Each structure stands twice: as structure tokens, then as C-alpha cells.
Amino acid sequence: MGTSAEDEQGASPREEEWPEVEKAEKLARGAALKWASGVFYRPENLEGLGHYRSRETQRNSSIQSRLKSTVQSYLEGVSAGLEQLRAAVQEVQSVCQELGAARWALLDCADRFQDLQQMRALMAEHVQLASVVQVLPQLFSVHEVFSHTLQLLRGQHLLEAHAEIMMLEHLRDDILSQLHLRGLSSAQATVLAYFGGLQELNESLAKQLWGIVASSLQLVREDPVLFVTAIRIIEREEKIDDMLLLDATFLPPGRPKGWRQKFYHVLQETITGTRFHTPRVDAEGPGLSRHLEALQRDIVSELRVVKDLMVQCVPAHYNILSLCAATYHQALAGHLQDLLREDLDKQALFHLLKWVLHVYHSSEMMGHPDLLPEVDVSSLGPLISPELVDQTERRYVVKLKASVLEWMQRTLKTEFEEWFWEKEPETDHQGFFQSDLPVHVIEMLNSNIEVTSSITDSLQQKVYNMALEELEAFLGRLREALVQRGKEHQQDRTIPKHYVHYLLAMLNNVLALSSSVPTLHPNSSCREVPASLRAALDRTQKKACQLLLEELLLDLQPLCVELASRKWLSGAQLVNTMCEVIDKYAKDFSRVKKPLFKLLLMECELLVANQYLRALMQKKMVCKSKEERRQFCDRLLQDATQLRELFCSLGLDRSQQNLEAVFAVRELLCLKDTALLSLEVLGFVTKYPDVSDEHISTLLDLRGDVSKEVRHLVLEMMAQHPQALPESYQPIFSTILVPAPELPFCLRKGKCA
């Protein structure tokens, strides 16, 4: 136990100093126990215990020998390293001693270095003088070179002149550089003054170069040598600029020249000034069209020269063809904007839009086969912006609208002047009255809509909308003109002679317009007519019908005045005359197309029925006896039957006639038993719900045999059974006014004056 305690006390410091060793030892012992328990688990395995012991003993011996070898080699390496460190320390000490000796030697030689400084200054002065002596011949010949170079420039020997100028510039720049390095900036002004003529030579050379560039398109066709010479000089100067810019120590005056950029600028200015800085272009359509055609022709021709000739005269990196194409594009865009600021007429605006949107990109211009594929303006954007295109389209529509308005006013004036001719209107192959008005109007509008299809769909839609608006306005003016002609005709019914016939022709014209309007739409699958235009067509048709019925009424009124009077009661001549008048008008009405004829016939029948009932309501006579009432009813029956048969013979069915109201009134008047009047009136009111108390009261007065009690009973019954108007009901009585009853005349009490 004591020994164990000592071992624990002895092991404790080692565990604290090397905890990893203790941990490894425990793991090894655990692994060994685990291995031994696994191997000797069975008793028969104990026989191999000696074999296992000897094998492990050998392995331990091998491991120990390898450890000893490793430790020995490590110790030898440490020993060699210590020897090297000792040698290095000795060498460092030796170097320090030698550096100290050198330091003391340098301190002894400091005074001698000051003597050498004077020698160094003399040597620098000698070098400068030697450099000056070398360039003295060149300096003395500067002015002579100036004169010679100027003569070369005047003789257009540009390459030789430029070589002389480069030599002079090199000489000047070398002197200026030396002065700059030695800090002698004050002397630079003297050098610049001495080389002052060099600036004049540069300006003269540049002037000739830019003149050559300005006429480059002509030179490359006639004599490209001069143009190539200018390009070579420009490239020389560009190389000099590049070299000087790389050397950042000194940049001579006038550098960089940037002549390549100047070349681009001059070429662009030449293109812009030659083609687009022209005097004011004619704002009329033909003048602008000629101007655009000239631009098209010249631009294509010049771009072909650039592609075929100029490209061969300049380096590839100039991209001269792309540059010229972009310059033409940009200059043309600005020129077109200037043109659009002018007050162009509609034809000019049309030509400009077509040229910009279609001709410019077509095979006739920038898409010309001779220019493809090198020239591609699609990447340069549109000539004018979509907003400006839309604005120009609107301007065109405004101009076109004014032109259409003027044309329609003139056409309308001509149309109504024909009314005063001594002949009837023209007829078609079926004998219907007509004029050329609808054909001319639709053709004019349709041509304006169709021609814009070659521009854009948006412009075509704008023109279509404008055409419908102007057609609607035209119909309004047409109605006003019809009303005015109607007023003039009422003052003198002999003028115009064929007034009714021209009204009938106008009805056919309106019908033709109605059927032709859908064809104006650009989209054949969409033929809908706007509601406002349909309403305008209906109003115009109704106005012409109204004027015709007014004309008929003027002929019927003298006859209608005699209706329901004692003169009328005595014979049938009055209605016979009415039938003759109606038949005459019906024959005229047959000169309009079927739907209009039917409409006129129905309106005519309604007018006759209305006038007949209106005459009854005037209460021109009151039946004084049963016999007179019978005669009255018989006359009513004969007249209504005769009129009904007339309209039936003209093609109007009984169910469509309003004369049935006259038959109903006759039934009310011929009723023998007044006690049944309430039932009869109730049936009458049910059939004609727009009849009023005044109408019934007037009819009861016509009978002449209705007592106050019966009248009161009938009116009370009507009050108890109010009638609502059905939606499809055609009013007839609501348009007939009943005259106000005459008040009895009374004398005031008192004496007469």
C-alpha cells in the first residue's frame, strides 16, 4: 500500500506536466486489455500465449530501435545548427568592424568631395555646350526651312512639307524638353518666339488638309492621291500624339493636335452643310416631294462612293462607312425636324411621313442592295421619334379636315343649286330619284382613308375617325340647308319647280350614305357605325320626310278645313279630292326605295288620320237629330273606308293603319243607346290610351244627345280607369289639341254709356 501511494505521489507531477502521455498510456492499456480479452476469451486460445508474447517483444524492440535512431539524428542536427550559429556570430562581428573602418575613411574624404562638385558643374556645362554646338547648324537653318516648307505647301507637296514641319517640331520640342528638365522655364519663351513661324506652317497645312477632306467625296472619284496623302499626314500626327501622351514628363505646346477627330468633324460638317443647310424648302407638297427625292438620290449616291472608293483610302479602324451613314442619319433627322417646324400643307406632311416611315428604310434608299450589309441604320434609332410621328399625323389630320370641310361645303352648295334646274333629278336603273352626292362623298372619304394605309395604321384610324366626324357635321349642314329650302319654298311654292322630287332624291341619297358608311372602316371585319352618326343619318332622313309631309299637308289643309262640316255632310267630293292628292303624292313616293316608300306611306296615312280626327275635334257642327247623326256616321264610314282602301291599294296593310281610330270614333258616335256610352267609351279608351277627357267630351258634344248625367258618368268612369301607354303604342290623340270652349258672352249690369 505504501509503495502504491508513493507511485501515485511520483506520478502526479508527471501527469500534471505531461497529461497527454498519461492519457495515451491509459488508452494503450485499455486497447491491450480489450485485445487480450478478445483473444483469450476461450480456454483453447491460452496455448498460443507464448507465441503472442514473443511477437510483441520483437515488435517493442523494433519500435525502441527506431525511436533511438530518430532521436540520434535529431541531436546531430541540433549540434550542426549550433556550430553554424557560432560561425555567423563571428562573421557579423567581422562585418561590423569593417563598416566602422569604412565610416571613418568616408569622414576623412568629405572635404575632397566638395572639390569634385565644381568639376561636376563644369562637366554639365560642357555637355550643354556640346549639345548646342551639335544643333547650331539646324538652328541657323530654321528660317530657311520655314521658307522652303511654305513653298512646298503652296505647291501642294504635302508629304515633303509635313516631313520638314515634323523635323522643325522635333528640334523645337527637344530644346524645350531640355530646358524643362533643367528648370529653365524662362528661356522657353525665347525658343517659342524663335520658332514662331512653325505655327503658321501648321495652320497652312491644316487648312489644306481640311479643304481636301471637305472635297473628299469628289477627290476619291477623280484623283484619290491627294486624299490618301492627307490621311497619311493625319495618321503621322496621331502617332506623334500617342507617343507624347505616353511620356508624361513633358508635353510640347500645341499637343495633342487631335487631327483624326478633326478629320471626323470636318467630314461630318461637310456632309451636313452640303445637303442640309439649304435655303428654305417649299412648304407645298410638290416642292417638298422633289426635295426629298433629291436627298434620297444624293445620299444613296454618296454612300456608294464611300463604300466603293473612300473605304479603300483610309485605315479600317476609321469605320468611315459607318461614320458617314450615322452622319447622314443624324443630319437628316435634324433637317426633318426643321422641316416639321414649317407650316407644311397636308400633301407635304403626307409625303414626309411616307418618306420617313417607308422610303428611308426601303431598298430604294438605306436598304439599297449596293449598300448592304455594311450600312445598317436600324441600330441608329428612328429618324423622328414616335411622339413626333404622332404629332405630325395629327397635324395632317387637321389639314385634311379643313380640306374635307371646304370640299363638302362646296359640294353641298352645288347639290342645292341643282334644285333650281328646270329638270327632274337623275334616276338610277330602277327609276329611283338620286344624285351623285353620296357617291362623291363616300369616294372622297374612302380615298383619303385608303391612301393613309400606306403610312401607318394609327394614321388610317385617325383619318377614319375624322371622316366620320366630318360626315356627321355634313349631315347637320345638310339638314340646315333642307330647312332653309323648305322655308323658301313655303314662301313661293313654285320655286324650285321639282321641290318634292329633289326631297325624294335626298331621301335616297341618305339611304345610300347609310349603306355605304360601313365600307369606310379600314378593317373589313369591323363594320359597325357609331351611334352618333346613325342618329345623324336618322335625323336627316326624318327631316326630309317631315318636309315632304309638310308639302302634302299644304295641299290637304284646304280640304281638311271643310271636314266634319255641313258642306262635307252633303257629298263625297271632298274625300275624293283628298284621295286624288294622296294618290298623286304616293306616285311620287314610289320613286324612293322600298323601305323609304313604306315609311313615307305610313307617315302619310298617320298624317291623314291625324288631320281627319283633328277636324272632328274642331266641332264645326253638332248633330241636331238622329237622322243627322246617322248621316254624319254614314259619311264617316264612307270616308274612312275610302281612305283605308286607298292606302291598302298602295301597299299599306290594315293593321298598320291609324284610320282605324276614325272607325272607332264612328262607332262611338252612332251608338243609339246612350246608356251604353260608358262601356263604349271604356273600350275606346282601352284601345287608344292617349285619348283625354277633352277628346271624349268633344265627341259626346258631336252626338248632340248626351245629357249632363251621362257625360258626368262617362268622365267619372274614365277617371276611375286611367290607362298607361304601352311601349309599342303609336300615339295619335295626344298630338291633337282640343279647342278651348267659348265662354258665354254677358253684358254687365248697369246702363250703357
Side-chain angles (χ1 to χ4, degrees), residues 143-305:
H143 293 286
E144 181 182 351
V145 174
F146 282 167
S147 301
H148 180 251
T149 305
L150 195 59
Q151 291 177 359
L152 290 174
L153 288 174
R154 289 171 180 169
Q156 287 195 338
H157 301 291
L158 300 183
L159 286 175
E160 295 86 343
H162 185 247
E164 297 286 347
I165 291 173
M166 285 195 300
M167 183 270 292
L168 291 172
E169 285 182 339
H170 178 72
L171 177 62
R172 181 200 65 182
D173 297 343
D174 186 54
I175 295 172
L176 290 175
S177 176
Q178 295 295 328
L179 293 174
H180 175 75
L181 293 175
R182 288 164 177 75
L184 302 175
S185 302
S186 59
Q188 291 183 1
T190 303
V191 175
L192 291 174
Y194 187 77
F195 285 90
L198 192 56
Q199 179 67 25
E200 181 184 354
L201 292 177
N202 268 306
E203 291 176 354
S204 178
L205 175 61
K207 183 178 180 181
Q208 291 200 38
L209 289 178
W210 309 141
I212 292 170
V213 173
S215 57
S216 57
L217 289 173
Q218 180 180 355
L219 286 175
V220 296
R221 283 180 287 192
E222 298 174 357
D223 183 13
V225 175
L226 203 55
F227 178 69
V228 173
T229 299
I231 296 297
R232 291 179 61 186
I233 293 172
I234 291 171
E235 284 301 295
R236 283 179 183 177
E237 291 294 336
E238 281 296 311
K239 290 179 181 178
I240 296 173
D241 283 346
D242 293 341
M243 288 189 296
L244 291 173
L245 289 173
L246 288 175
D247 183 12
T249 57
F250 175 72
L251 192 65
R255 292 289 178 178
K257 292 183 180 180
W259 277 10
R260 186 186 296 164
Q261 291 300 322
K262 181 65 176 178
F263 165 80
Y264 294 150
H265 179 71
V266 171
L267 186 60
Q268 290 170 338
E269 284 293 320
T270 301
I271 291 173
T272 304
T274 303
R275 296 294 170 212
F276 304 105
H277 290 168
T278 55
R280 183 176 177 180
V281 179
D282 189 0
E284 300 294 330
L288 182 63
S289 179
R290 288 191 296 271
H291 175 67
L292 294 176
E293 288 175 0
L295 284 178
Q296 174 185 343
R297 182 179 60 253
D298 295 342
I299 290 173
V300 172
S301 174
E302 291 175 3
L303 283 176
R304 290 171 67 182
V305 170

Side-chain angles (χ1 to χ4, degrees), residues 488-508:
E488 294 173 358
H489 180 70
Q490 287 182 2
Q491 295 174 1
D492 185 357
R493 295 188 65 194
T494 61
I495 301 176
K497 180 179 179 181
H498 301 286
Y499 174 74
V500 172
H501 296 163
Y502 279 102
L503 282 176
L504 295 171
M506 191 59 68
L507 271 176
N508 283 326

Side-chain angles (χ1 to χ4, degrees), residues 668-719:
L668 188 63
L669 293 177
C670 70
L671 184 65
K672 295 180 180 180
D673 189 357
T674 57
L676 300 177
L677 274 175
S678 297
L679 294 175
E680 187 69 25
V681 169
L682 180 60
F684 187 86
V685 171
T686 303
K687 188 174 182 180
Y688 301 101
D690 63 329
V691 71
S692 65
D693 296 354
E694 289 81 5
H695 293 134
I696 296 299
S697 183
T698 300
L699 293 176
L700 296 180
D701 289 340
L702 284 176
R703 286 183 58 91
D705 62 342
V706 180
S707 63
K708 290 182 179 180
E709 291 78 10
V710 173
R711 181 189 300 271
H712 179 72
L713 183 63
V714 169
L715 297 178
E716 185 177 359
M717 179 273 303
M718 288 182 64

